[in-house]
Amino acid sequence: MDTEFDFKNWGDIMMNLKNKYPQLTNADLMWRHETKDDLYKTIANKIGKTKNELIAVIQSF
């Protein structure tokens, strides 16, 4: 499980995700999880995608 998280780029990723998926709120994207995996699962669930689909979207930014 990946516990490292790149906060440096997270602001840009958050903005891109909110633009692409307007149903996401700041609270949905706030780092409050133990791992990046947990955060991704939460966001993916909110937008109706799998974690791997979400990772592909993030990598496309």
Short mmCIF file of all heavy atoms in Angstrom, two decimals:
data_model
loop_
_atom_site.label_atom_id
_atom_site.label_comp_id
_atom_site.label_asym_id
_atom_site.label_seq_id
_atom_site.Cartn_x
_atom_site.Cartn_y
_atom_site.Cartn_z
N MET A 1 0.84 -1.18 0.00
CA MET A 1 0.00 0.00 0.00
C MET A 1 0.88 1.24 0.00
O MET A 1 1.83 1.33 0.75
CB MET A 1 -0.90 -0.04 1.24
CG MET A 1 -2.11 0.84 1.11
SD MET A 1 -3.21 0.72 2.52
CE MET A 1 -3.92 -0.88 2.26
N ASP A 2 0.56 2.17 -0.85
CA ASP A 2 1.37 3.37 -1.01
C ASP A 2 0.98 4.42 0.02
O ASP A 2 -0.13 4.92 0.02
CB ASP A 2 1.16 3.90 -2.43
CG ASP A 2 2.06 5.07 -2.76
OD1 ASP A 2 2.90 5.44 -1.91
OD2 ASP A 2 1.93 5.61 -3.86
N THR A 3 1.90 4.75 0.92
CA THR A 3 1.61 5.76 1.94
C THR A 3 2.21 7.11 1.60
O THR A 3 1.98 8.08 2.28
CB THR A 3 2.11 5.32 3.32
OG1 THR A 3 3.52 5.09 3.24
CG2 THR A 3 1.41 4.06 3.79
N GLU A 4 3.00 7.17 0.53
CA GLU A 4 3.59 8.44 0.11
C GLU A 4 2.54 9.25 -0.66
O GLU A 4 1.71 8.70 -1.36
CB GLU A 4 4.79 8.18 -0.80
CG GLU A 4 5.93 7.49 -0.10
CD GLU A 4 6.55 8.32 1.00
OE1 GLU A 4 6.77 9.53 0.79
OE2 GLU A 4 6.81 7.77 2.06
N PHE A 5 2.62 10.55 -0.51
CA PHE A 5 1.66 11.40 -1.22
C PHE A 5 2.36 12.67 -1.64
O PHE A 5 3.05 13.31 -0.84
CB PHE A 5 0.47 11.72 -0.32
CG PHE A 5 -0.71 12.23 -1.08
CD1 PHE A 5 -1.50 11.37 -1.81
CD2 PHE A 5 -1.02 13.58 -1.08
CE1 PHE A 5 -2.58 11.83 -2.52
CE2 PHE A 5 -2.09 14.05 -1.80
CZ PHE A 5 -2.88 13.17 -2.51
N ASP A 6 2.18 13.06 -2.89
CA ASP A 6 2.83 14.24 -3.43
C ASP A 6 1.92 15.45 -3.28
O ASP A 6 1.06 15.72 -4.11
CB ASP A 6 3.18 14.02 -4.90
CG ASP A 6 3.96 15.18 -5.50
OD1 ASP A 6 4.32 16.11 -4.74
OD2 ASP A 6 4.22 15.15 -6.70
N PHE A 7 2.07 16.18 -2.17
CA PHE A 7 1.23 17.34 -1.91
C PHE A 7 1.55 18.49 -2.85
O PHE A 7 0.71 19.34 -3.09
CB PHE A 7 1.42 17.82 -0.46
CG PHE A 7 0.74 16.93 0.54
CD1 PHE A 7 1.49 16.07 1.32
CD2 PHE A 7 -0.63 16.96 0.70
CE1 PHE A 7 0.86 15.25 2.23
CE2 PHE A 7 -1.25 16.15 1.61
CZ PHE A 7 -0.51 15.28 2.39
N LYS A 8 2.74 18.50 -3.41
CA LYS A 8 3.17 19.59 -4.29
C LYS A 8 2.24 19.71 -5.50
O LYS A 8 1.88 20.81 -5.90
CB LYS A 8 4.61 19.34 -4.73
CG LYS A 8 5.20 20.44 -5.56
CD LYS A 8 6.68 20.27 -5.83
CE LYS A 8 7.14 18.85 -5.97
NZ LYS A 8 8.52 18.68 -6.37
N ASN A 9 1.84 18.61 -6.07
CA ASN A 9 0.99 18.62 -7.26
C ASN A 9 -0.49 18.43 -6.95
O ASN A 9 -1.32 18.54 -7.85
CB ASN A 9 1.43 17.53 -8.23
CG ASN A 9 2.81 17.80 -8.77
OD1 ASN A 9 3.17 18.94 -9.02
ND2 ASN A 9 3.60 16.76 -8.94
N TRP A 10 -0.84 18.14 -5.70
CA TRP A 10 -2.22 17.81 -5.38
C TRP A 10 -3.17 18.99 -5.65
O TRP A 10 -4.29 18.79 -6.09
CB TRP A 10 -2.35 17.33 -3.94
CG TRP A 10 -3.75 16.87 -3.64
CD1 TRP A 10 -4.59 17.38 -2.72
CD2 TRP A 10 -4.47 15.81 -4.29
NE1 TRP A 10 -5.80 16.72 -2.74
CE2 TRP A 10 -5.75 15.75 -3.71
CE3 TRP A 10 -4.17 14.92 -5.32
CZ2 TRP A 10 -6.71 14.83 -4.11
CZ3 TRP A 10 -5.14 14.00 -5.72
CH2 TRP A 10 -6.38 13.97 -5.12
N GLY A 11 -2.73 20.22 -5.44
CA GLY A 11 -3.57 21.39 -5.71
C GLY A 11 -4.01 21.44 -7.16
O GLY A 11 -5.18 21.69 -7.47
N ASP A 12 -3.09 21.19 -8.08
CA ASP A 12 -3.41 21.18 -9.51
C ASP A 12 -4.33 20.00 -9.85
O ASP A 12 -5.28 20.15 -10.63
CB ASP A 12 -2.14 21.09 -10.36
CG ASP A 12 -1.29 22.35 -10.27
OD1 ASP A 12 -1.85 23.43 -9.99
OD2 ASP A 12 -0.07 22.23 -10.48
N ILE A 13 -4.05 18.85 -9.27
CA ILE A 13 -4.87 17.67 -9.52
C ILE A 13 -6.30 17.91 -9.02
O ILE A 13 -7.27 17.60 -9.70
CB ILE A 13 -4.25 16.42 -8.86
CG1 ILE A 13 -2.95 16.05 -9.57
CG2 ILE A 13 -5.23 15.24 -8.89
CD1 ILE A 13 -2.11 15.02 -8.85
N MET A 14 -6.42 18.50 -7.82
CA MET A 14 -7.74 18.80 -7.26
C MET A 14 -8.53 19.71 -8.20
O MET A 14 -9.71 19.48 -8.46
CB MET A 14 -7.61 19.49 -5.89
CG MET A 14 -7.30 18.56 -4.76
SD MET A 14 -7.03 19.38 -3.17
CE MET A 14 -8.21 20.69 -3.13
N MET A 15 -7.89 20.76 -8.69
CA MET A 15 -8.55 21.71 -9.57
C MET A 15 -9.02 21.01 -10.85
O MET A 15 -10.16 21.21 -11.30
CB MET A 15 -7.61 22.86 -9.92
CG MET A 15 -8.24 23.95 -10.75
SD MET A 15 -7.13 25.33 -11.07
CE MET A 15 -5.87 24.52 -12.05
N ASN A 16 -8.17 20.19 -11.43
CA ASN A 16 -8.54 19.46 -12.65
C ASN A 16 -9.68 18.48 -12.40
O ASN A 16 -10.59 18.37 -13.22
CB ASN A 16 -7.33 18.72 -13.22
CG ASN A 16 -6.32 19.65 -13.85
OD1 ASN A 16 -6.69 20.69 -14.38
ND2 ASN A 16 -5.06 19.30 -13.77
N LEU A 17 -9.64 17.79 -11.27
CA LEU A 17 -10.72 16.86 -10.94
C LEU A 17 -12.04 17.58 -10.74
O LEU A 17 -13.09 17.13 -11.20
CB LEU A 17 -10.37 16.04 -9.69
CG LEU A 17 -9.35 14.93 -9.87
CD1 LEU A 17 -8.94 14.36 -8.52
CD2 LEU A 17 -9.90 13.83 -10.77
N LYS A 18 -12.00 18.73 -10.04
CA LYS A 18 -13.23 19.49 -9.81
C LYS A 18 -13.80 20.04 -11.12
O LYS A 18 -15.01 20.11 -11.29
CB LYS A 18 -12.98 20.63 -8.83
CG LYS A 18 -12.90 20.13 -7.39
CD LYS A 18 -12.69 21.24 -6.42
CE LYS A 18 -13.93 22.08 -6.33
NZ LYS A 18 -13.84 23.11 -5.30
N ASN A 19 -12.93 20.41 -12.06
CA ASN A 19 -13.40 20.89 -13.36
C ASN A 19 -14.03 19.76 -14.17
O ASN A 19 -15.05 19.95 -14.83
CB ASN A 19 -12.27 21.53 -14.15
CG ASN A 19 -11.87 22.88 -13.61
OD1 ASN A 19 -12.66 23.56 -12.98
ND2 ASN A 19 -10.63 23.27 -13.85
N LYS A 20 -13.42 18.58 -14.11
CA LYS A 20 -13.92 17.44 -14.88
C LYS A 20 -15.14 16.80 -14.22
O LYS A 20 -16.03 16.31 -14.91
CB LYS A 20 -12.80 16.41 -15.04
CG LYS A 20 -13.14 15.28 -15.96
CD LYS A 20 -11.91 14.46 -16.29
CE LYS A 20 -12.27 13.32 -17.20
NZ LYS A 20 -11.78 13.48 -18.54
N TYR A 21 -15.19 16.80 -12.89
CA TYR A 21 -16.27 16.17 -12.14
C TYR A 21 -16.84 17.18 -11.14
O TYR A 21 -16.44 17.21 -9.98
CB TYR A 21 -15.77 14.92 -11.40
CG TYR A 21 -15.15 13.90 -12.32
CD1 TYR A 21 -13.77 13.78 -12.42
CD2 TYR A 21 -15.94 13.08 -13.10
CE1 TYR A 21 -13.19 12.86 -13.28
CE2 TYR A 21 -15.38 12.15 -13.97
CZ TYR A 21 -14.00 12.05 -14.05
OH TYR A 21 -13.44 11.14 -14.90
N PRO A 22 -17.78 18.02 -11.58
CA PRO A 22 -18.30 19.09 -10.73
C PRO A 22 -18.98 18.60 -9.45
O PRO A 22 -19.15 19.38 -8.51
CB PRO A 22 -19.30 19.82 -11.62
CG PRO A 22 -19.14 19.28 -12.98
CD PRO A 22 -18.34 18.04 -12.91
N GLN A 23 -19.35 17.33 -9.40
CA GLN A 23 -19.99 16.81 -8.19
C GLN A 23 -19.01 16.66 -7.03
O GLN A 23 -19.42 16.49 -5.88
CB GLN A 23 -20.70 15.47 -8.47
CG GLN A 23 -19.78 14.29 -8.75
CD GLN A 23 -19.47 14.06 -10.21
OE1 GLN A 23 -19.32 15.00 -10.98
NE2 GLN A 23 -19.36 12.80 -10.59
N LEU A 24 -17.71 16.74 -7.31
CA LEU A 24 -16.71 16.65 -6.24
C LEU A 24 -16.66 17.97 -5.46
O LEU A 24 -16.68 19.04 -6.05
CB LEU A 24 -15.33 16.35 -6.82
CG LEU A 24 -15.13 14.95 -7.40
CD1 LEU A 24 -13.78 14.86 -8.09
CD2 LEU A 24 -15.26 13.90 -6.32
N THR A 25 -16.58 17.85 -4.16
CA THR A 25 -16.47 19.03 -3.31
C THR A 25 -15.05 19.12 -2.76
O THR A 25 -14.28 18.16 -2.86
CB THR A 25 -17.46 18.94 -2.13
OG1 THR A 25 -17.07 17.83 -1.30
CG2 THR A 25 -18.89 18.76 -2.61
N ASN A 26 -14.73 20.25 -2.16
CA ASN A 26 -13.42 20.39 -1.51
C ASN A 26 -13.25 19.33 -0.44
O ASN A 26 -12.16 18.80 -0.26
CB ASN A 26 -13.27 21.79 -0.91
CG ASN A 26 -13.06 22.84 -1.97
OD1 ASN A 26 -12.62 22.56 -3.07
ND2 ASN A 26 -13.40 24.08 -1.64
N ALA A 27 -14.33 19.03 0.28
CA ALA A 27 -14.26 18.01 1.34
C ALA A 27 -13.93 16.64 0.76
O ALA A 27 -13.19 15.86 1.38
CB ALA A 27 -15.58 17.96 2.10
N ASP A 28 -14.45 16.32 -0.42
CA ASP A 28 -14.15 15.03 -1.05
C ASP A 28 -12.68 14.91 -1.39
O ASP A 28 -12.12 13.81 -1.36
CB ASP A 28 -14.94 14.87 -2.36
CG ASP A 28 -16.44 14.78 -2.15
OD1 ASP A 28 -16.87 14.28 -1.10
OD2 ASP A 28 -17.16 15.24 -3.05
N LEU A 29 -12.05 16.03 -1.71
CA LEU A 29 -10.67 16.02 -2.19
C LEU A 29 -9.65 16.35 -1.09
O LEU A 29 -8.45 16.36 -1.35
CB LEU A 29 -10.52 17.02 -3.34
CG LEU A 29 -11.40 16.70 -4.55
CD1 LEU A 29 -11.43 17.88 -5.51
CD2 LEU A 29 -10.94 15.44 -5.25
N MET A 30 -10.13 16.59 0.11
CA MET A 30 -9.24 16.95 1.20
C MET A 30 -8.49 15.72 1.72
O MET A 30 -9.09 14.67 1.92
CB MET A 30 -10.04 17.57 2.35
CG MET A 30 -9.16 18.11 3.47
SD MET A 30 -10.12 18.78 4.83
CE MET A 30 -11.17 19.93 4.01
N TRP A 31 -7.21 15.90 1.93
CA TRP A 31 -6.39 14.82 2.46
C TRP A 31 -6.75 14.60 3.93
O TRP A 31 -6.46 15.41 4.79
CB TRP A 31 -4.91 15.15 2.34
CG TRP A 31 -4.05 14.10 2.93
CD1 TRP A 31 -3.44 14.12 4.14
CD2 TRP A 31 -3.74 12.83 2.36
NE1 TRP A 31 -2.76 12.96 4.35
CE2 TRP A 31 -2.93 12.14 3.28
CE3 TRP A 31 -4.09 12.21 1.17
CZ2 TRP A 31 -2.46 10.87 3.03
CZ3 TRP A 31 -3.60 10.95 0.92
CH2 TRP A 31 -2.79 10.29 1.84
N ARG A 32 -7.46 13.52 4.21
CA ARG A 32 -7.81 13.16 5.59
C ARG A 32 -7.81 11.64 5.74
O ARG A 32 -8.40 11.10 6.65
CB ARG A 32 -9.17 13.75 5.96
CG ARG A 32 -10.30 13.24 5.11
CD ARG A 32 -11.64 13.82 5.57
NE ARG A 32 -12.70 13.25 4.77
CZ ARG A 32 -13.22 13.80 3.68
NH1 ARG A 32 -12.78 14.97 3.27
NH2 ARG A 32 -14.16 13.21 3.01
N HIS A 33 -7.16 11.01 4.81
CA HIS A 33 -7.12 9.56 4.77
C HIS A 33 -5.74 9.08 5.20
O HIS A 33 -4.77 9.82 5.14
CB HIS A 33 -7.44 9.06 3.36
CG HIS A 33 -8.73 9.60 2.85
ND1 HIS A 33 -9.94 9.02 3.14
CD2 HIS A 33 -9.02 10.68 2.10
CE1 HIS A 33 -10.91 9.72 2.58
NE2 HIS A 33 -10.37 10.74 1.95
N GLU A 34 -5.67 7.83 5.58
CA GLU A 34 -4.38 7.29 6.00
C GLU A 34 -3.44 7.11 4.82
O GLU A 34 -2.25 7.33 4.95
CB GLU A 34 -4.58 5.94 6.69
CG GLU A 34 -5.22 6.07 8.06
CD GLU A 34 -5.27 4.74 8.76
OE1 GLU A 34 -4.40 3.89 8.50
OE2 GLU A 34 -6.17 4.55 9.58
N THR A 35 -3.97 6.71 3.69
CA THR A 35 -3.11 6.45 2.53
C THR A 35 -3.69 7.09 1.28
O THR A 35 -4.87 7.42 1.21
CB THR A 35 -2.97 4.94 2.26
OG1 THR A 35 -4.24 4.43 1.88
CG2 THR A 35 -2.44 4.20 3.48
N LYS A 36 -2.86 7.23 0.29
CA LYS A 36 -3.29 7.73 -1.01
C LYS A 36 -4.32 6.77 -1.60
O LYS A 36 -5.29 7.20 -2.21
CB LYS A 36 -2.08 7.87 -1.94
CG LYS A 36 -2.44 8.39 -3.32
CD LYS A 36 -1.23 8.75 -4.15
CE LYS A 36 -0.37 7.59 -4.49
NZ LYS A 36 0.70 7.92 -5.45
N ASP A 37 -4.13 5.49 -1.38
CA ASP A 37 -5.06 4.47 -1.87
C ASP A 37 -6.47 4.72 -1.32
O ASP A 37 -7.45 4.65 -2.06
CB ASP A 37 -4.54 3.09 -1.47
CG ASP A 37 -5.30 1.97 -2.13
OD1 ASP A 37 -5.42 1.98 -3.37
OD2 ASP A 37 -5.77 1.07 -1.40
N ASP A 38 -6.56 5.03 -0.03
CA ASP A 38 -7.86 5.32 0.59
C ASP A 38 -8.50 6.55 -0.04
O ASP A 38 -9.70 6.58 -0.31
CB ASP A 38 -7.73 5.53 2.09
CG ASP A 38 -7.35 4.27 2.85
OD1 ASP A 38 -7.60 3.17 2.33
OD2 ASP A 38 -6.81 4.41 3.96
N LEU A 39 -7.72 7.59 -0.25
CA LEU A 39 -8.23 8.81 -0.86
C LEU A 39 -8.74 8.53 -2.26
O LEU A 39 -9.84 8.96 -2.63
CB LEU A 39 -7.14 9.89 -0.89
CG LEU A 39 -7.50 11.20 -1.61
CD1 LEU A 39 -8.64 11.91 -0.90
CD2 LEU A 39 -6.28 12.10 -1.68
N TYR A 40 -7.96 7.82 -3.05
CA TYR A 40 -8.36 7.51 -4.42
C TYR A 40 -9.64 6.68 -4.44
O TYR A 40 -10.50 6.89 -5.28
CB TYR A 40 -7.24 6.78 -5.16
CG TYR A 40 -6.11 7.67 -5.62
CD1 TYR A 40 -6.10 9.04 -5.38
CD2 TYR A 40 -5.05 7.14 -6.33
CE1 TYR A 40 -5.06 9.84 -5.81
CE2 TYR A 40 -4.01 7.94 -6.77
CZ TYR A 40 -4.03 9.28 -6.51
OH TYR A 40 -3.00 10.08 -6.95
N LYS A 41 -9.76 5.72 -3.54
CA LYS A 41 -10.97 4.89 -3.49
C LYS A 41 -12.19 5.75 -3.17
O LYS A 41 -13.26 5.57 -3.76
CB LYS A 41 -10.83 3.79 -2.45
CG LYS A 41 -9.94 2.66 -2.88
CD LYS A 41 -9.81 1.63 -1.78
CE LYS A 41 -8.84 0.54 -2.13
NZ LYS A 41 -8.66 -0.42 -1.02
N THR A 42 -12.05 6.68 -2.25
CA THR A 42 -13.15 7.56 -1.87
C THR A 42 -13.58 8.43 -3.05
O THR A 42 -14.77 8.56 -3.35
CB THR A 42 -12.75 8.45 -0.67
OG1 THR A 42 -12.41 7.60 0.43
CG2 THR A 42 -13.87 9.38 -0.27
N ILE A 43 -12.62 9.04 -3.73
CA ILE A 43 -12.92 9.90 -4.87
C ILE A 43 -13.54 9.07 -6.01
O ILE A 43 -14.53 9.48 -6.62
CB ILE A 43 -11.67 10.64 -5.36
CG1 ILE A 43 -11.16 11.59 -4.27
CG2 ILE A 43 -11.94 11.40 -6.66
CD1 ILE A 43 -9.79 12.16 -4.54
N ALA A 44 -12.95 7.92 -6.30
CA ALA A 44 -13.44 7.07 -7.37
C ALA A 44 -14.89 6.66 -7.11
O ALA A 44 -15.72 6.68 -8.03
CB ALA A 44 -12.55 5.83 -7.52
N ASN A 45 -15.19 6.32 -5.88
CA ASN A 45 -16.56 5.94 -5.52
C ASN A 45 -17.52 7.10 -5.77
O ASN A 45 -18.61 6.91 -6.28
CB ASN A 45 -16.60 5.49 -4.06
CG ASN A 45 -17.94 4.94 -3.68
OD1 ASN A 45 -18.52 4.15 -4.41
ND2 ASN A 45 -18.43 5.36 -2.53
N LYS A 46 -17.11 8.30 -5.42
CA LYS A 46 -17.96 9.48 -5.56
C LYS A 46 -18.27 9.78 -7.03
O LYS A 46 -19.36 10.23 -7.35
CB LYS A 46 -17.26 10.68 -4.91
CG LYS A 46 -17.96 11.99 -5.04
CD LYS A 46 -19.05 12.16 -4.02
CE LYS A 46 -19.74 13.50 -4.17
NZ LYS A 46 -20.12 14.12 -2.96
N ILE A 47 -17.33 9.50 -7.93
CA ILE A 47 -17.54 9.81 -9.35
C ILE A 47 -17.96 8.57 -10.17
O ILE A 47 -18.12 8.66 -11.38
CB ILE A 47 -16.31 10.48 -9.99
CG1 ILE A 47 -15.08 9.57 -9.97
CG2 ILE A 47 -16.03 11.81 -9.33
CD1 ILE A 47 -13.87 10.12 -10.71
N GLY A 48 -18.13 7.44 -9.50
CA GLY A 48 -18.60 6.24 -10.17
C GLY A 48 -17.58 5.56 -11.05
O GLY A 48 -17.91 4.98 -12.08
N LYS A 49 -16.32 5.63 -10.64
CA LYS A 49 -15.25 4.98 -11.39
C LYS A 49 -14.51 4.04 -10.46
O LYS A 49 -14.64 4.11 -9.25
CB LYS A 49 -14.28 6.02 -11.94
CG LYS A 49 -14.92 6.99 -12.92
CD LYS A 49 -13.91 7.47 -13.92
CE LYS A 49 -14.52 8.34 -14.97
NZ LYS A 49 -15.22 7.60 -16.00
N THR A 50 -13.70 3.16 -11.05
CA THR A 50 -12.84 2.33 -10.23
C THR A 50 -11.60 3.14 -9.87
O THR A 50 -11.32 4.19 -10.48
CB THR A 50 -12.37 1.06 -11.00
OG1 THR A 50 -11.54 1.46 -12.09
CG2 THR A 50 -13.56 0.26 -11.49
N LYS A 51 -10.88 2.66 -8.90
CA LYS A 51 -9.64 3.35 -8.49
C LYS A 51 -8.67 3.43 -9.66
O LYS A 51 -8.04 4.46 -9.89
CB LYS A 51 -9.01 2.64 -7.30
CG LYS A 51 -7.79 3.38 -6.76
CD LYS A 51 -7.13 2.63 -5.65
CE LYS A 51 -6.36 1.51 -6.24
NZ LYS A 51 -5.12 1.14 -5.73
N ASN A 52 -8.55 2.36 -10.44
CA ASN A 52 -7.63 2.35 -11.58
C ASN A 52 -8.07 3.33 -12.66
O ASN A 52 -7.23 3.98 -13.30
CB ASN A 52 -7.49 0.95 -12.16
CG ASN A 52 -6.69 0.05 -11.23
OD1 ASN A 52 -5.89 0.51 -10.44
ND2 ASN A 52 -6.93 -1.24 -11.32
N GLU A 53 -9.38 3.47 -12.87
CA GLU A 53 -9.87 4.46 -13.84
C GLU A 53 -9.54 5.87 -13.35
O GLU A 53 -9.15 6.73 -14.15
CB GLU A 53 -11.38 4.32 -14.03
CG GLU A 53 -11.78 3.07 -14.80
CD GLU A 53 -13.28 2.83 -14.80
OE1 GLU A 53 -13.98 3.21 -13.84
OE2 GLU A 53 -13.75 2.24 -15.78
N LEU A 54 -9.70 6.12 -12.06
CA LEU A 54 -9.36 7.42 -11.50
C LEU A 54 -7.87 7.71 -11.66
O LEU A 54 -7.50 8.81 -12.05
CB LEU A 54 -9.75 7.50 -10.02
CG LEU A 54 -9.29 8.77 -9.30
CD1 LEU A 54 -9.97 10.00 -9.88
CD2 LEU A 54 -9.54 8.66 -7.81
N ILE A 55 -7.04 6.73 -11.39
CA ILE A 55 -5.60 6.93 -11.54
C ILE A 55 -5.26 7.29 -12.99
O ILE A 55 -4.44 8.17 -13.24
CB ILE A 55 -4.83 5.67 -11.07
CG1 ILE A 55 -4.94 5.55 -9.55
CG2 ILE A 55 -3.37 5.71 -11.51
CD1 ILE A 55 -4.46 4.24 -8.98
N ALA A 56 -5.92 6.63 -13.95
CA ALA A 56 -5.69 6.95 -15.36
C ALA A 56 -6.09 8.39 -15.67
O ALA A 56 -5.39 9.10 -16.40
CB ALA A 56 -6.44 5.96 -16.25
N VAL A 57 -7.20 8.84 -15.09
CA VAL A 57 -7.65 10.23 -15.29
C VAL A 57 -6.61 11.19 -14.71
O VAL A 57 -6.22 12.16 -15.36
CB VAL A 57 -9.03 10.47 -14.63
CG1 VAL A 57 -9.36 11.94 -14.58
CG2 VAL A 57 -10.12 9.70 -15.38
N ILE A 58 -6.15 10.90 -13.51
CA ILE A 58 -5.16 11.78 -12.86
C ILE A 58 -3.86 11.81 -13.67
O ILE A 58 -3.28 12.87 -13.86
CB ILE A 58 -4.90 11.32 -11.41
CG1 ILE A 58 -6.15 11.62 -10.57
CG2 ILE A 58 -3.66 11.98 -10.83
CD1 ILE A 58 -6.11 11.03 -9.16
N GLN A 59 -3.45 10.67 -14.17
CA GLN A 59 -2.21 10.63 -14.95
C GLN A 59 -2.35 11.38 -16.28
O GLN A 59 -1.36 11.83 -16.84
CB GLN A 59 -1.78 9.19 -15.19
CG GLN A 59 -1.28 8.54 -13.93
CD GLN A 59 -0.99 7.05 -14.12
OE1 GLN A 59 -1.40 6.43 -15.07
NE2 GLN A 59 -0.26 6.49 -13.16
N SER A 60 -3.58 11.54 -16.76
CA SER A 60 -3.78 12.25 -18.03
C SER A 60 -3.65 13.75 -17.86
O SER A 60 -3.53 14.48 -18.85
CB SER A 60 -5.16 11.90 -18.62
OG SER A 60 -6.19 12.55 -17.89
N PHE A 61 -3.70 14.24 -16.63
CA PHE A 61 -3.59 15.69 -16.39
C PHE A 61 -2.20 16.12 -16.61
O PHE A 61 -1.32 16.37 -16.43
CB PHE A 61 -4.04 16.07 -14.99
CG PHE A 61 -5.51 15.82 -14.71
CD1 PHE A 61 -5.93 15.46 -13.46
CD2 PHE A 61 -6.46 15.94 -15.70
CE1 PHE A 61 -7.28 15.24 -13.18
CE2 PHE A 61 -7.81 15.72 -15.45
CZ PHE A 61 -8.21 15.37 -14.19
#
